[in-house]
Amino acid sequence: MSRDVDREESLRRVFVRALVDGTQIGEVMAVPLANNLMRYFQRHYPGSQLYIPKPARQYDVLQIEAELRSGKPPGQVARSHRTTMRQLHRLFPGGLPKVA
């Protein structure tokens, strides 16, 4: 029982920290919001382990396009942006930009 209380308090602190960091509201205002979040999750997902996906990766498409148009090899562009050739083709479904 105490383990569940510890986990509940730990999650509540995560919610408070996220609200304070993400909205710049003070902790005093964040606590009631965190309590509401806790009640919501406890009501709708009691005892569940939720999967929280990582944020979608953002690419600087304009920078990538500029590098490709300048003549940089696509493989080198992909490596310098820590991605793959396959992802470059997804970013430019009409074909990779050609040298201008």
Side-chain angles (χ1 to χ4, degrees), residues 31-69:
V31 169
L33 295 171
N35 289 335
N36 285 336
L37 285 169
M38 283 298 300
R39 281 192 294 276
Y40 177 87
F41 280 97
Q42 287 171 325
R43 195 171 342 138
H44 294 289
Y45 305 99
S48 297
Q49 290 185 359
L50 298 176
Y51 169 73
I52 301 179
K54 65 182 179 180
R57 173 114 187 253
Q58 299 295 312
Y59 296 95
D60 188 345
V61 177
L62 294 176
Q63 178 65 37
I64 293 170
E65 180 179 9
E67 290 176 23
L68 291 169
R69 289 195 187 281

